[in-house]
């Protein structure tokens, strides 16, 4: 029907006529056909009026899908010509939808009950359908639901349609942002959490598609300041609504969206928006119990407000600074990564880096660095940035008590009044601040937990055990059951070590390990005092000769010097190798740079050749297109010449220069002129036909009236005749019915007997079938009962068999454990025997080492005497090493294997000290070969040969 209109004005006129007679469906079809028709793709003012009427009909009949199709087609028509028209149409569409929804809301009396459904896009529930079928009359609640819910569904569908149409339109970015804001307000006003999540996902997908398809036409440019500001304002509005609806997961995703948008454009938003950003981050992290990230967000907010907000009062700054310090103190004082698995540590490391980027701390995450943001670094940063100078006195005193004071017995009693004062501090901030209100009372439970942990930590350093009653008195603000829960979490992360004995009513503290800081410090102090006491008791001798002091360290000095020279030589060699390696690397890098430069030059040359080829190809294609267009234009001119003779040709030839553009314009003007002449002829013909039809009807009117009066007279006579015949027939039928009744009245008794017999037969058949059915049901019940008994017996048997198998397996495992324990005991006994044998062997070796040392000392002492000679040495001294050698189990040279024949026998030349350069002793320094390392006879021989 819609494609029959040659002009859009006719379709609009026809639609108004149909609306006046109540046929809105037909009117909508007519207008929709004109909008989607290919004939009317160019924008006109008439098409705009048609679109306004089309939108009004769609809203009246709630035809959201038809309205969406019409808007898409209209966008294609006016995108490049008059985009403001599309904006006006969309605003009108949203205005009508909102107006209808508000009207339905005002008519309904119970809005909350009418909107109490989970999903506006879901169909009607089955229970509602069943209730509507069962109950004949509907109550007031269901009538309200029928009035309000459909219009709110349509309004929600309107927002989705508009966002889908405007998602990649750079000229209507402001309208897109306005629609998103209105959709957010709709979700906020009516508490539509499901729709809000879908709306956030829709906007998120739109942005992802913009970044994915960068070559789209009319795509918004995110690098432009105006576009970036609109998108950021939309995301910040999304974040605000998410926090007001308490959708914390969606709020966190909104924060990630804002951070991702800032990462894409590489530009920081305004300070006011960043203040809202960090303020919402504090709420999100506090709700998720991420106290450390909550404190870092507070720190960023404090720095931002202090730097950029010049209208901030001193009271507001003091409240924000106090919140920063209390948030930092609320973080757990122990490392949460202690005791976690490797996978949890890796996930926590990635999560820390992700949170650090969101908060604004760009850190370099290393593999060995598990802690990106920590409580200690945060407290140090608070002191360095001067935050502590802005806080209230109560917060400052609390900070010093919890972090720097050591009061194992009075900590809780001193903290309690401070917490009471802090809980009363807070209030609304000035309008210049990004936060509407600050309440310090929210940190009181976390601070009480921290005070409890500090008290337990300090008590564990002083006492080994404490009565539970005494400890409960020291912590007046927390129950002991909660103290147990806190201590369990702290012990899990190795912050304290304690045991609770409820039978004795005591708490037993123990050290976390020998390497703890407190134990190590005490041992160091104790060792220093012992050294001082020893030096006071055993004073060193002052009258010893300088030569005696120097000689024992001479061998060590020579050995150290020798090692130093060797180390210096090795260092020089390593430096030479490193220099050669660096030269090789430099040459390799230069070669790689040269190759890379050559490759880049070749690629640039190839790109230049390719671009030249593309340019030549494009020129050729453009030339072919121009030639083809010129041929088409000439063909159009030839057709015009055939139709009009030589007038068109003479008009073209009169011009100075015949070009393709002039030919095209002439051909188009000829076509337009012919079309206009044809339309004039059609209008004249239509007018003639109208006059002819009107004349025919005027002449036929009296003839039609006379024929009508004659027909009335004829039908009146016919009606009277038929009525008389009908009365006569009715009388005859009544007489016949009376005769038939008299004839059948004698058969009434037989009829009653037959009826009784049939009913008795049917009753007996029914009783028989009922008894058979009951018997069949009894049999089925009996068979099912037997099946249940069989299944129960089978389950009992299977359970018993499984228990027997488990019992046998446990006995077998116990027997294997006993055998393993016996083997371990036997292996331990065998190992003890071997250790005893090894100990005896080591003792023998130590004795041999001691004898060897005595021998070396004797030789060393003899070489230092100026008058002594090897021949004048007593035979006992010379023979002592040789006599001790066989008993030590070491290798003994040939000249020492036989006993000396007389006192005048000289030792072998190897014992001559002149062979070792005079002052150098012949015996090897034991520190050079590992100190007290035990060795065999071959080891002793190797040391002797070295010297």
């Amino acid at each position: 029907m819609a494609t029959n209109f040659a002009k859009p004005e006719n379709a609009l006129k026809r639609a108004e006529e149909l609306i006046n007679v109540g046929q809105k469906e037909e009117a909508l079809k007519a207008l929709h056909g004109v909008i989607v028709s290919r004939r009317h793709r160019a924008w006109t003012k008439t098409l705009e009026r048609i679109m306004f009427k089309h939108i009004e009909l769609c809203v009246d009949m709630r035809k959201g899908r038809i309205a969406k199709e019409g808007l898409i087609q209209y966008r294609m028509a006016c995108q490049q010509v008059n985009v403001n028209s599309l904006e006006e149409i969309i605003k009108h569409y949203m205005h009508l939808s909102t107006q209808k929804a508000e009207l339905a809301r005002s008519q309904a009396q119970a809005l909350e009950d009418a909107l109490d459904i989970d999903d506006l896009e879901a169909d009607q529930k089955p229970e509602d359908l069943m209730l509507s079928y069962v109950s004949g009359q509907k109550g007031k609640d269901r009538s309200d639901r029928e009035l309000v819910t459909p219009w709110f569904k349509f309004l929600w569908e309107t927002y989705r349609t508009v966002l889908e149409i405007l998602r990649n339109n750079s000229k209507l970015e402001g309208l897109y942002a306005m629609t998103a804001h209105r959709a957010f307000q709709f979700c906020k006003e009516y508490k539509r959490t499901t729709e809000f999540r879908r709306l956030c996902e829709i906007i998120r997908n739109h942005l992802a598609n913009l970044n994915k398809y960068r070559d789209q036409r009319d795509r918004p440019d995110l690098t432009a300041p105006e576009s970036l500001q609109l998108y950021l304002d939309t995301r910040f509005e999304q974040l605000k609504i998410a926090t007001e609806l308490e959708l914390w997961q969606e709020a966190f995703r909104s924060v990630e969206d804002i951070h991702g948008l800032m990462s894409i454009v590489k530009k920081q938003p305004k300070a006011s928006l960043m203040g809202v950003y960090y303020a919402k981050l504090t709420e999100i992290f506090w709700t998720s119990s991420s106290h450390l990230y909550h404190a870092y967000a507070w720190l960023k907010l404090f720095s931002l407000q202090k730097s950029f907000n010049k209208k901030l009062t001193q009271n507001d700054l003091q409240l924000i600074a106090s919140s920063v310090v209390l948030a930092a103190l609320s973080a757990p004082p122990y490392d949460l990564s202690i005791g976690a698995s490797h996978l949890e540590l890796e996930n926590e490391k990635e999560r820390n880096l992700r949170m650090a980027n969101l908060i604004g701390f760009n850190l370099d995450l290393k593999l060995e660095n598990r802690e990106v943001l920590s409580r200690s670094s945060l407290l140090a940063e608070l002191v360095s940035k001067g935050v502590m100078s802005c806080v209230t006195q109560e917060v400052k005193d609390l900070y010093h008590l919890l972090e720097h004071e050591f009061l194992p017995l009075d900590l809780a009693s001193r903290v309690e009044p401070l917490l009471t004062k802090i809980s009363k501090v807070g209030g609304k901030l000035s309008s210049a601040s990004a936060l509407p209100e600050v309440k310090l009372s929210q940190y009181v439970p976390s601070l009480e937990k921290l005070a409890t942990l500090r008290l337990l930590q300090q008590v564990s350093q002083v006492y080994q055990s404490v009565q539970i009653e005494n400890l409960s008195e020291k912590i007046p603000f927390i129950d002991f059951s909660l103290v147990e829960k806190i201590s369990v979490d702290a012990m899990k992360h190795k912050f304290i070590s304690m045991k609770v004995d409820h039978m004795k009513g005591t708490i037993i503290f123990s050290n976390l390990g020998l390497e703890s800081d407190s134990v190590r410090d005490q041992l160091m102090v104790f060792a220093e005092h012992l050294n001082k006491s020893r030096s006071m008791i055993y004073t060193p001798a002052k009258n010893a000769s300088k030569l005696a002091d120097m000689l024992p360290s001479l061998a060590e000095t020579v050995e150290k010097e020798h090692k130093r020279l060797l180390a210096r030589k090795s260092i020089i060699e390593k430096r030479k190798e490193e220099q050669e390696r660096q030269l090789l690397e430099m040459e390799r890098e230069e070669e790689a740079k040269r190759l890379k430069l050559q490759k880049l030059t070749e690629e640039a040359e190839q790109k230049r050749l390719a671009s030249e080829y593309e340019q030549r190809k494009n020129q050729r294609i453009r030339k072919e297109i121009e030639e083809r267009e010129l041929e088409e234009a000439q063909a159009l001119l030839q057709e015009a010449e055939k139709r009009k003779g030589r007038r068109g040709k003479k008009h073209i030839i009169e011009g100075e220069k015949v070009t393709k553009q002039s030919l095209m314009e002439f051909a188009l003007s000829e076509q337009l002129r012919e079309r206009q002449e044809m339309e004039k002829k059609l209008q004249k013909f239509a007018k003639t036909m109208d006059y002819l039809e009107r004349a025919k009807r005027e002449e036929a009117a009296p003839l039609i009236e006379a024929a009508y009066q004659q027909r009335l007279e004829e039908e009146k006579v016919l009606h009277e005749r038929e009525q008389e015949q009908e009365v006569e027939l009715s009388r005859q039928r009544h007489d016949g019915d009376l005769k038939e009744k008299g004839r059948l009245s004698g058969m009434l008794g037989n009829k009653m007997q037959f009826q009784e017999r049939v009913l008795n037969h049917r009753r007996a058949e029914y009783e028989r079938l009922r008894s058979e059915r009951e018997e069949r049901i009894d049999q089925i019940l009996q068979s099912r009962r037997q099946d249940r008994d069989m299944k129960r017996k089978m389950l009992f048997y299977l359970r018993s068999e499984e228990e027997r198998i488990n019992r046998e397996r446990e006995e077998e495992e116990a027997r294997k454990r006993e055998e393993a324990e016996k083997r371990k005991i036997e292996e331990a006994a065998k190992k003890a025997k071997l250790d005893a044998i090894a100990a005896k062997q080591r003792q023998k070796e130590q004795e041999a080492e001691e004898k060897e040392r005595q021998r070396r000392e004797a030789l060393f002492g003899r070489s230092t005497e100026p008058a002594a000679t090897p021949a004048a040495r007593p035979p006992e001294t010379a023979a002592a090493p040789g006599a001790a050698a066989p008993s030590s189990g070491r290798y003994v040279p040939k000249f020492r294997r036989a006993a000396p024949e007389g006192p005048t026998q000289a030792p072998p030349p190897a014992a001559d000290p002149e062979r070792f350069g005079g002052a150098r002793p012949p015996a090897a320094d034991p520190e050079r070969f590992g100190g007290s390392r035990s060795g065999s006879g071959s080891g002793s021989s190797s040391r002797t040969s070295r010297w």
Side-chain angles (χ1 to χ4, degrees):
M1 179 178 179
T3 57
N4 295 331
F5 295 103
K7 294 184 178 181
E9 295 86 351
N10 298 336
L12 183 60
K13 185 176 180 181
R14 179 62 178 167
E16 290 176 352
E17 292 175 355
L18 292 172
I19 292 172
N20 292 332
V21 296
Q23 297 182 6
K24 293 185 178 182
E25 286 281 351
E26 297 298 328
L28 181 60
K29 288 180 181 179
L31 296 177
H32 189 71
V34 172
I35 293 171
V36 301
S37 176
R38 295 184 179 181
R39 184 183 300 177
H40 309 290
R41 287 294 176 88
W43 181 87
T44 58
K45 192 66 177 177
T46 305
L47 188 63
E48 182 180 13
R49 289 191 285 115
I50 289 174
M51 195 64 203
F52 272 110
K53 185 62 69 175
H54 180 271
I55 289 296
E56 292 174 0
L57 290 175
C58 289
V59 172
D60 285 340
M61 294 183 290
R62 294 199 297 268
K63 301 289 185 180
R65 184 170 298 178
I66 297 177
K68 182 177 181 181
E69 293 176 0
L71 286 172
I72 292 173
Q73 295 295 328
Y74 191 71
R75 179 187 63 181
M76 296 169 59
C78 66
Q79 177 68 34
Q80 305 299 330
V81 180
N82 188 4
V83 74
N84 293 327
S85 175
L86 177 62
E87 182 177 1
E88 294 298 327
I89 292 293
I90 290 177
K91 287 182 179 179
H92 186 62
Y93 182 33
M94 289 193 295
H95 173 71
L96 290 178
S97 301
T98 307
Q99 190 177 9
K100 289 289 184 180
E102 291 296 330
L103 181 61
R105 179 191 175 193
S106 62
Q107 292 176 355
Q109 298 297 327
L111 176 61
E112 293 184 359
D113 296 336
L115 291 177
D116 191 14
I117 58 174
D118 295 332
D119 193 352
L120 289 179
E121 297 182 5
D123 295 332
Q124 194 172 7
K125 294 182 180 180
E127 54 268 23
D128 297 336
L129 290 173
M130 187 178 297
L131 185 61
S132 65
Y133 290 143
V134 172
S135 59
Q137 296 181 354
K138 299 180 179 179
K140 186 177 182 302
D141 294 341
R142 272 186 285 158
S143 64
D144 293 340
R145 184 182 296 270
E146 287 184 355
L147 287 174
V148 178
T149 303
W151 281 113
F152 275 90
K153 282 185 178 181
F154 182 76
L155 180 58
W156 169 247
E157 189 66 28
T158 301
Y159 289 139
R160 291 194 58 173
T161 300
V162 173
L163 291 174
E164 183 67 24
I165 291 173
L166 302 177
R167 60 187 176 87
N168 56 357
N169 197 326
S170 59
K171 299 178 181 179
L172 296 177
E173 291 177 341
L175 184 58
Y176 179 86
M178 185 195 74
T179 306
H181 283 242
R182 292 180 66 174
F184 288 142
Q185 292 299 324
F186 169 80
C187 298
K188 172 188 173 182
E189 185 177 358
Y190 303 112
K191 303 294 186 295
R192 306 308 307 174
T193 56
T194 305
E195 284 73 22
F196 180 76
R197 292 191 185 95
R198 287 178 181 159
L199 180 61
C200 295
E201 193 64 30
I202 288 169
I203 297 177
R204 197 173 292 118
N205 291 334
H206 289 174
L207 182 61
N209 291 331
L210 283 181
N211 295 325
K212 185 177 180 181
Y213 305 106
R214 297 180 180 272
D215 56 346
Q216 284 184 346
R217 186 179 180 182
D218 299 327
R219 172 185 173 272
D221 186 11
L222 294 179
T223 57
E226 297 82 5
S227 301
L228 175 62
Q229 190 63 35
L230 286 174
Y231 276 89
L232 283 175
D233 290 343
T234 303
R235 271 28 179 217
F236 276 105
E237 183 68 19
Q238 174 182 333
L239 177 60
K240 290 179 183 178
I241 301 301
T243 53
E244 291 177 4
L245 292 177
E246 297 183 355
L247 300 174
W248 302 111
Q249 186 175 4
E250 198 61 44
F252 184 75
R253 295 186 68 186
S254 303
V255 169
E256 288 186 326
D257 291 342
I258 296 172
H259 183 264
L261 195 60
M262 292 189 294
S263 302
I264 291 173
V265 298
K266 307 293 184 183
K267 189 175 180 181
Q268 192 77 3
K270 296 180 181 178
S272 58
L273 292 180
M274 292 306 297
V276 176
Y277 175 80
Y278 290 119
K280 297 303 179 182
L281 267 181
T282 58
E283 296 182 21
I284 294 169
F285 287 140
W286 181 256
T287 306
S288 62
S289 299
S290 301
H291 298 95
L292 183 60
Y293 305 132
H294 171 75
Y296 269 101
W298 263 115
L299 178 59
K300 294 293 289 186
L301 180 60
F302 172 78
S303 303
L304 192 69
Q305 294 289 317
K306 187 177 180 182
S307 302
F308 296 99
N309 199 344
K310 303 302 181 183
K311 298 181 180 179
L312 201 66
T313 62
Q314 187 64 29
N315 185 26
D316 296 344
L317 188 64
Q318 193 176 34
L319 284 175
I320 296 174
S322 301
S323 299
V324 174
V325 176
L326 294 180
L329 291 175
S330 299
Y334 40 77
D335 188 4
L336 298 176
S337 62
I338 296 177
S341 63
H342 177 70
L343 181 60
E344 291 175 350
L345 289 175
E346 292 297 326
N347 294 335
E348 184 66 21
K349 182 174 64 174
E350 295 178 1
R351 181 172 179 268
N352 288 343
L353 182 60
R354 182 181 173 191
M355 296 299 175
N357 291 331
L358 286 180
I359 299 172
F361 290 87
N362 296 322
L363 303 178
D364 185 14
L365 184 63
K366 299 180 180 179
L367 293 176
E368 65 272 11
N369 187 14
R370 298 289 182 183
E371 198 172 13
V372 179
L373 303 175
S374 63
R375 184 177 184 270
S376 57
S377 61
L378 176 60
L379 292 175
E381 196 168 357
L382 294 182
V383 176
S384 62
K385 289 189 175 181
V387 180
M388 297 300 300
S389 61
C390 301
V391 301
T392 60
Q393 188 61 36
E394 294 84 2
V395 176
K396 192 178 296 184
D397 296 341
L398 182 65
Y399 170 75
H400 286 290
L401 274 176
L402 294 176
E403 297 298 326
H404 300 292
E405 297 292 337
F406 186 81
L407 302 169
L409 299 179
D410 302 334
L411 181 63
S413 60
R414 293 193 180 186
V415 166
E416 187 177 11
L418 295 176
L419 292 179
T420 305
K421 292 180 181 179
I422 288 172
S423 63
K424 298 178 182 178
V425 177
K428 294 184 178 180
L429 302 182
S430 61
S431 59
S433 176
L435 289 169
E437 188 177 4
V438 172
K439 292 183 180 179
L440 302 184
S441 58
Q442 63 177 350
Y443 300 107
V444 171
S446 301
L447 294 173
E448 291 177 350
K449 179 180 176 181
L450 176 63
T452 304
L453 287 173
R454 290 298 185 196
L455 188 141
L456 290 174
Q457 184 187 26
Q458 295 176 7
V459 168
S460 66
Q461 296 177 5
V462 178
Y463 300 100
Q464 290 185 350
S465 62
V466 178
Q467 293 291 328
I468 294 178
E469 296 179 357
N470 296 335
L471 186 64
S472 300
E473 292 176 358
K474 300 298 179 185
I475 310 175
F477 43 76
I478 292 183
D479 242 356
F480 185 72
S481 60
L482 186 57
V483 173
E484 282 187 299
K485 293 180 181 179
I486 296 172
S487 61
V488 166
D489 192 36
M491 286 188 292
K492 176 183 176 183
H493 297 94
K494 298 183 180 180
F495 183 70
I496 57 174
S497 178
M498 56 180 283
K499 296 179 181 179
V500 181
D501 191 349
H502 287 282
M503 295 181 66
K504 296 181 180 179
T506 58
I507 299 175
I508 303 170
F509 297 101
S510 60
N511 292 325
L512 295 173
L514 190 61
E515 293 299 325
S516 62
D517 295 337
S518 59
V519 176
R520 184 169 63 250
D521 295 340
Q522 293 177 6
L523 290 177
M524 290 173 63
V525 173
F526 183 65
E528 290 176 358
H529 287 296
L530 283 179
N531 286 332
K532 290 180 182 178
S533 302
R534 182 179 178 279
S535 62
M536 293 174 63
I537 295 172
Y538 301 102
T539 56
K542 297 182 180 179
N543 299 326
S545 62
K546 294 182 179 179
L547 184 62
D549 292 339
M550 185 177 62
L551 286 178
S553 62
L554 183 60
E556 183 178 356
T557 303
V558 172
E559 183 67 22
K560 287 182 179 179
E561 186 67 21
H562 179 65
K563 289 181 179 179
R564 189 182 66 79
L565 292 175
L566 291 176
R568 185 171 180 273
K569 182 180 179 182
S570 64
I571 290 171
I572 292 171
E573 293 294 333
K574 288 181 179 178
R575 286 179 180 175
K576 288 181 180 180
E577 294 175 0
E578 183 67 22
Q579 189 175 5
E580 292 176 358
R581 186 181 63 78
Q582 290 179 358
L583 289 174
L584 290 174
E585 287 183 356
M586 289 175 63
E587 292 177 358
R588 195 179 297 112
E589 289 178 358
E590 290 177 358
E591 182 67 19
K593 288 181 181 178
R594 186 182 63 79
L595 293 175
K596 186 177 180 180
L597 183 60
Q598 183 179 357
K599 186 177 180 181
L600 290 175
T601 306
E602 293 176 355
E603 290 178 355
E605 184 67 20
Q606 291 178 359
K607 288 181 180 179
R608 186 183 64 80
L609 294 174
S611 63
E612 291 179 356
Y613 174 74
E614 288 293 330
Q615 289 178 0
R616 291 194 298 270
K617 184 179 178 180
N618 292 334
Q619 291 176 359
R620 180 175 55 81
I621 293 172
R622 195 178 300 112
K623 188 175 180 181
E624 291 177 356
I625 292 172
E626 291 176 356
E627 292 177 354
R628 191 180 303 113
E629 290 178 352
L630 186 59
E631 291 177 358
E632 292 176 357
Q634 291 177 355
L636 290 174
L637 283 175
Q638 291 175 2
E639 291 180 1
E641 290 172 2
K642 290 178 181 178
R643 289 193 300 269
K644 295 295 181 180
R646 296 186 178 182
R647 286 179 299 170
K649 183 176 180 181
K650 189 178 294 184
H651 176 75
I652 291 296
I653 292 173
E654 287 175 359
E656 295 180 357
K657 186 177 180 181
V658 179
T659 61
K660 180 190 72 173
Q661 186 67 23
S662 62
L663 291 175
M664 292 293 293
E665 290 178 356
F666 179 72
L668 292 175
S669 63
E670 285 294 324
Q671 288 183 357
L672 182 61
R673 187 174 57 79
E674 291 176 2
R675 189 180 298 111
Q676 290 176 354
E677 290 178 357
M678 183 61 68
E679 288 180 356
K680 288 180 180 179
K681 289 181 180 180
L682 289 175
Q683 290 178 358
K684 186 177 180 180
F685 180 72
K687 191 174 182 180
T688 304
M689 293 299 295
D690 288 341
Y691 288 156
L692 182 60
E693 185 66 24
R694 188 181 299 110
K696 288 181 180 180
R697 291 187 180 185
E698 287 177 356
E699 292 294 330
L703 299 177
I704 293 172
E705 183 66 24
Y708 175 70
Q709 294 296 331
Q710 184 180 357
R711 182 68 179 270
L712 283 178
E713 294 294 335
E714 292 176 356
E715 288 182 352
K716 183 177 181 182
V717 174
L718 181 63
H719 173 68
E720 292 175 354
R721 188 185 305 115
E722 289 179 352
Q723 188 174 6
E724 292 175 356
Q725 292 176 359
E726 184 67 26
V727 171
E728 184 64 28
L729 289 174
S730 177
R731 188 179 294 108
Q732 292 176 2
R733 282 197 299 270
H734 179 67
D735 295 339
D737 291 340
L738 289 176
K739 293 179 182 179
E740 186 70 18
K741 179 181 178 183
R743 187 179 65 85
L744 296 176
S745 60
M747 302 169 59
L748 183 62
N750 296 331
K751 177 253 181 186
M752 297 301 295
Q753 292 177 2
F754 177 76
Q755 181 179 353
E756 185 68 22
R757 187 168 61 252
V758 170
L759 288 177
N760 291 334
H761 177 71
R762 290 181 179 177
R763 193 177 293 110
E765 185 68 19
Y766 168 74
E767 293 294 335
R768 183 182 61 80
L769 293 175
R770 186 172 63 82
S771 60
E772 290 178 358
R773 179 174 175 275
E774 290 177 355
E775 291 177 359
R776 188 164 58 253
I777 290 173
D778 292 338
Q779 292 176 1
I780 292 172
L781 292 175
Q782 185 67 23
S783 63
R784 290 181 180 176
R785 194 177 297 110
Q786 292 176 359
D787 292 340
R788 285 199 301 271
D789 294 340
M790 183 62 68
K791 288 181 181 178
R792 194 179 296 111
K793 291 178 181 179
M794 183 60 69
L795 289 174
F796 176 75
Y797 172 73
L798 293 175
R799 195 178 297 111
S800 302
E801 190 66 20
E802 186 178 357
E803 291 176 357
R804 183 184 61 79
I805 293 172
N806 292 334
R807 186 167 56 254
E808 290 179 356
R809 184 169 61 251
E810 291 175 357
E811 291 175 357
E812 182 66 22
E813 290 177 356
R815 184 180 59 79
K816 289 181 180 180
R817 284 196 297 271
E818 290 177 359
E819 291 179 357
E821 290 176 358
K822 288 180 181 179
R823 283 198 299 271
K824 288 181 181 179
I825 293 171
E826 292 175 359
E827 290 175 358
K830 190 182 295 183
K831 186 177 180 181
K833 291 180 182 180
L834 294 175
D835 291 342
I837 294 171
K840 291 180 181 179
Q841 183 67 24
R842 282 195 298 272
Q843 184 177 4
K844 290 181 181 181
E845 291 176 357
Q846 289 175 1
E847 292 175 357
E849 289 284 343
E850 183 66 24
K851 290 179 181 181
E852 182 67 18
R853 187 181 61 78
Q854 292 176 2
R855 182 182 67 79
R856 288 199 301 270
E857 289 178 356
L859 291 174
F860 182 70
R862 185 188 61 183
S863 63
T864 57
E865 295 177 2
T869 59
R873 188 176 58 184
E876 293 79 9
T877 306
S887 63
S888 63
R890 298 176 178 271
Y891 172 76
V892 182
K894 290 182 179 181
F895 65 88
R896 294 188 184 276
R897 290 179 184 174
E901 296 180 357
T904 59
Q905 185 178 1
D912 189 359
E914 296 297 333
R915 186 172 181 177
F916 302 97
R920 187 172 181 176
D925 189 0
E927 293 181 359
R928 182 170 178 174
F929 300 95
S932 60
R933 183 181 62 185
S934 60
S936 60
S938 61
S940 177
S941 175
S942 65
R943 288 197 295 271
T944 306
S945 63
R946 181 180 178 85
W947 286 101

